[in-house]
Every structure is written in structure tokens, then in C-alpha cells.
Amino acid sequence: MSTLTKQRCRLHGHREAVARCPECEKFFCRECVTEHDGRVICQPCLTELLQEDVKERSPIWGRIGGILGAGAGFMLAWWVFYMIGRVLLSIPSMFHDGTIFKH
Ligand SMILES: [Zn+2]
Ligand SMILES: [Zn+2]
């Protein structure tokens, strides 16, 4: 009944197709499809998808993300040290204001 049984693999004309690629909507045999991100897609589309993944993580975006990450880390570290410095500076003045160093 299924139209799938009448279909042949795009790459192996003699083999019956078992799956239809949701990306290119072509039919493929079991050997030509791979599960990727919960979907069964054909090898050519998988290769394309993986290349797109690489493109998405292009050096420019990676670099911007790295710079932002490093900048945020630096700012956080700077803020922490600044606050520690302020606390350390405030302690002696508290002693000065107190009775310990009274003139
Ligand atoms: Zn495909
Ligand atoms: Zn095949």
C-alpha cells in the first residue's frame, strides 16, 4: 500500500527506498540515510547540514563570541577585584574611625 515500497533509492537504483529525506524529499535506502538531530536524512543532506553547522560557527562569530566572553570575564574579574579592594580599603578607615587609633 505504501508508496515508499515502489520507490527506489536515489543513489542505488536497484534498492528499495526505506526512507524519504525531509530535506531534499528524495527517497533513499537504509544505507543512504542517517539519523541526525532526531531526523532521518540522506547522506548528501547530512554532509550539507554539517557544512552549514561549520559555517554557523564561522571564525568571525566565534571570534566575536570569544571577545565578548573574554570581555565579560575580564569585567567580572575587574569588578570582583575592585570590590575586594574597596572592602580592604574600607577596613583601615573603619579602624581609624573607631577607638583603636584614637589620638
Ligand atoms: Zn536529502
Ligand atoms: Zn542507497
Side-chain angles (χ1 to χ4, degrees):
M1 284 298 280
S2 174
T3 53
L4 216 66
T5 54
K6 287 171 190 166
Q7 293 292 336
R8 299 284 158 181
C9 172
R10 180 86 181 170
L11 302 175
H12 304 94
H14 58 284
R15 286 187 194 167
E16 265 185 17
V18 293
R20 189 183 185 188
C21 173
E23 288 292 318
C24 58
E25 300 193 328
K26 286 163 191 161
F27 294 90
F28 293 92
C29 73
R30 192 168 290 275
E31 275 177 45
C32 291
V33 289
T34 318
E35 208 182 310
H36 176 75
D37 274 352
R39 293 187 305 168
V40 177
I41 62 170
C42 69
Q43 278 295 337
C45 285
L46 179 68
T47 311
E48 220 166 280
L49 275 176
L50 292 177
Q51 277 170 355
E52 271 174 32
D53 280 356
V54 172
K55 267 184 235 158
E56 275 170 28
R57 287 185 222 110
S58 63
I60 288 170
W61 287 109
R63 234 177 283 159
I64 289 169
I67 289 163
L68 287 177
F74 176 76
M75 287 296 284
L76 184 70
W78 177 84
W79 183 81
V80 167
F81 281 113
Y82 175 75
M83 291 309 281
I84 288 169
R86 277 195 69 116
V87 169
L88 289 175
L89 282 172
S90 70
I91 288 165
S93 68
M94 274 158 65
F95 281 121
H96 284 295
D97 292 341
T99 53
I100 296 165
F101 296 105
K102 228 174 190 173
H103 297 290

